[in-house]
């Protein structure tokens, strides 16, 4: 590559990928469609490889294009932040904040987001509720909150809460179907299953020392529905302990195979892997961490950044619940 890539070429490329159309990219940038085409052609010529496969009906990234897109986004983000740091004349937070959160979030989280928006009116807040694990880089999210037992490679992860996923069922169901005495007994029971990453129907449940294949009879990516189904006597559900602690105390639900059928679950914030986090994103992350300490309680692990590739997380102790009423259905 004899000449450096121009910013205009990077902008044409990333906007085309984001909008999935040369025409829409041209409209968004306010330039002719032919100019977008020339800049893309010039960029591919500089790099000596094809980044996009274009037909009359579709536009698709090549493998090289996938890799280049991630780096191009980082470069453009860094340039934007550098420009804003020079033009900013005060300490007011500004910028666009795009976050993805699961539908399980309690009302206190909603109040925290509204309070942040009130305190920082120059931050444009976009909150996307979904139980699917969005691609932060491809879909241009600044951070996401997730309830998961897994840490994803390639993302910066900040653990907010550690708790357990436990198996529960209603007393009525257990009276009718019997109480499982071993993991193998689950084959004779109705299992209420979730979706891995909010997309793939689960086929296994964690047990001490491994996992067990389970034949599910009811599936949902909404864990509150699984809890409700267990309450209605439809079967056995595996849910976060903080969602059912009050129901267990009242006897509305009963633990199944305690100490055997359970696993750690975390509420985490995840960020795209990058060195520089914009001030308004960092401020929101700090607000989330403060909310988690206040409403969900602090756990054995100190709040901070975890290595996303770490295979063995530190031991945790049960979640200290400060406001269980906020988590009721």
């Amino acid at each position: 590559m004899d000449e450096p890539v121009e910013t205009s070429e990077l902008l044409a490329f990333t906007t085309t990928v984001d909008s999935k159309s040369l025409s829409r990219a041209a409209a968004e940038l306010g330039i002719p469609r032919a100019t977008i085409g020339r800049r893309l052609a010039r960029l591919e010529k500089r790099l000596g490889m094809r980044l996009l496969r274009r037909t009359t009906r579709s536009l698709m990234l090549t493998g090289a294009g996938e890799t280049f897109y991630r780096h191009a986004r980082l470069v453009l983000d860094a340039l934007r932040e550098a420009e804003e740091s020079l033009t900013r004349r005060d300490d007011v937070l500004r910028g666009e904040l795009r976050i993805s959160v699961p539908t399980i979030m309690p009302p206190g989280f909603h109040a925290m987001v509204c309070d942040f928006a009130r305190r920082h009116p120059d931050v444009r807040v976009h909150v996307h509720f979904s139980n699917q694990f969005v691609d932060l880089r491809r879909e241009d999210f600044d951070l996401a909150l997730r309830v998961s037992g897994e840490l994803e490679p390639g993302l910066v992860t900040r653990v907010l809460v550690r708790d357990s996923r436990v198996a529960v069922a209603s007393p009525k169901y257990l009276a009718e179907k019997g109480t499982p005495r071993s993991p193998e007994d689950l084959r004779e029971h109705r299992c209420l299953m979730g979706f891995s990453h909010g997309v793939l129907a689960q086929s296994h449940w964690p047990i001490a020392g491994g996992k067990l294949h389970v034949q599910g009879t009811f599936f949902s990516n909404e864990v509150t529905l699984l809890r409700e189904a267990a309450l209605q006597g439809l079967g056995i559900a595996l849910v976060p302990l903080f969602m059912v602690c009050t129901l267990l105390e009242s006897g509305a639900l009963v633990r199944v195979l305690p100490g055997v059928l359970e696993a750690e679950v975390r509420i985490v914030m995840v960020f795209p892997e990058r060195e520089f986090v914009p001030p308004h994103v960092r401020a929101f992350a700090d607000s989330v961490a403060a909310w988690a300490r206040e409403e969900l309680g602090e756990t054995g692990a100190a709040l901070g950044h975890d290595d996303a590739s770490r295979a063995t997380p530190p031991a945790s102790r049960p979640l200290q619940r400060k406001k269980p009423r906020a988590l009721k259905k």
Side-chain angles (χ1 to χ4, degrees):
M1 186 169 62
D2 298 328
E3 299 180 13
V5 173
E6 297 179 4
T7 304
S8 61
E9 296 167 355
L10 293 181
L11 193 58
F13 172 64
T14 57
T15 306
T16 298
V17 172
D18 293 339
S19 62
K20 300 180 176 61
S21 163
L22 268 69
S23 298
R24 286 194 292 269
E28 184 174 334
L29 295 175
I31 58 178
R33 185 181 186 278
T35 301
I36 292 284
R38 286 195 296 272
R39 290 178 181 177
L40 291 175
R42 194 164 63 234
L43 176 61
E44 290 180 330
K45 183 176 180 180
R46 289 182 196 277
L47 298 173
M49 61 186 65
R50 180 73 64 188
L51 300 178
L52 292 165
R53 292 192 181 94
R54 300 187 290 277
T55 68
T56 56
R57 294 187 177 182
S58 66
L59 186 151
M60 184 179 300
L61 279 170
T62 65
E66 290 267 8
T67 301
F68 189 75
Y69 173 82
R70 292 196 295 269
H71 291 285
R73 291 297 320 177
L74 292 175
V75 169
L76 291 173
D77 288 346
L79 286 173
R80 186 186 69 249
E81 294 299 331
E83 183 179 3
E84 289 180 359
S85 69
L86 294 177
T87 57
R88 190 178 298 130
R89 301 302 181 189
D90 51 39
D91 294 328
V92 175
L93 295 180
R94 299 179 176 86
E96 188 165 295
L97 175 67
R98 286 176 49 81
I99 62 176
S100 174
V101 297
T103 58
I104 191 179
M105 304 310 293
F109 174 80
H110 304 164
M112 180 274 296
V113 173
C114 292
D115 179 66
F116 178 87
R118 183 169 50 251
R119 288 185 290 111
H120 305 291
D122 291 329
V123 176
R124 298 181 300 278
V125 181
H126 300 251
V127 184
H128 177 257
F129 282 87
S130 173
N131 290 324
Q132 294 188 9
F133 281 20
V134 299
D135 186 325
L136 270 67
R137 296 185 184 90
R138 173 65 64 83
E139 300 183 46
D140 201 24
F141 282 98
D142 295 296
L143 64 86
L145 289 182
R146 291 174 180 167
V147 179
S148 174
E150 305 172 8
L151 293 177
E152 296 176 79
L155 295 176
V156 177
T157 302
R158 186 172 183 177
V159 179
L160 299 175
V161 172
R162 298 180 190 274
D163 200 18
S164 297
R165 280 190 299 164
V166 298
V168 297
S170 71
K172 178 182 178 182
Y173 172 84
L174 296 176
E176 293 176 353
K177 303 294 185 181
T179 300
R181 303 300 178 187
S182 69
E184 289 72 23
D185 292 344
L186 292 173
R187 295 189 177 96
E188 307 300 323
H189 283 267
R190 296 180 60 84
C191 296
L192 314 175
M193 310 288 286
F195 286 73
S196 299
H197 292 183
V199 178
L200 301 174
Q202 289 178 335
S203 58
H204 293 79
W205 271 351
I207 59 173
K211 58 184 181 180
L212 178 74
H213 177 74
V214 178
Q215 188 68 40
T217 59
F218 185 103
F219 296 84
S220 176
N221 68 342
E222 175 53 82
V223 70
T224 54
L225 177 57
L226 298 178
R227 180 185 63 182
E228 180 64 25
L231 276 170
Q232 296 293 332
L234 295 183
I236 301 170
L238 189 66
V239 297
L241 180 58
F242 69 80
M243 289 190 63
V244 294
C245 57
T246 303
L247 297 170
L248 291 172
E249 291 170 1
S250 69
L253 289 175
V254 178
R255 289 280 299 272
V256 174
L257 294 174
V260 177
L261 183 55
E262 62 182 57
E264 184 184 70
V265 65
R266 307 176 183 91
I267 298 179
V268 300
M269 276 190 294
V270 292
F271 307 80
E273 191 170 8
R274 57 187 179 190
E275 294 182 4
F276 180 71
V277 178
H280 65 285
V281 177
R282 187 177 299 278
F284 182 77
D286 290 342
S287 294
V288 173
W291 162 79
R293 286 193 299 270
E294 174 64 25
E295 181 154 331
L296 301 181
E298 202 162 353
T299 63
L303 296 179
H305 285 81
D306 275 12
D307 180 357
S309 64
R310 185 169 59 198
T312 307
S316 62
R317 64 172 182 257
L319 180 66
Q320 302 299 315
R321 299 162 191 84
K322 293 190 176 182
K323 297 182 180 179
R325 62 182 181 277
L327 296 170
K328 290 182 180 178
K329 59 186 180 70

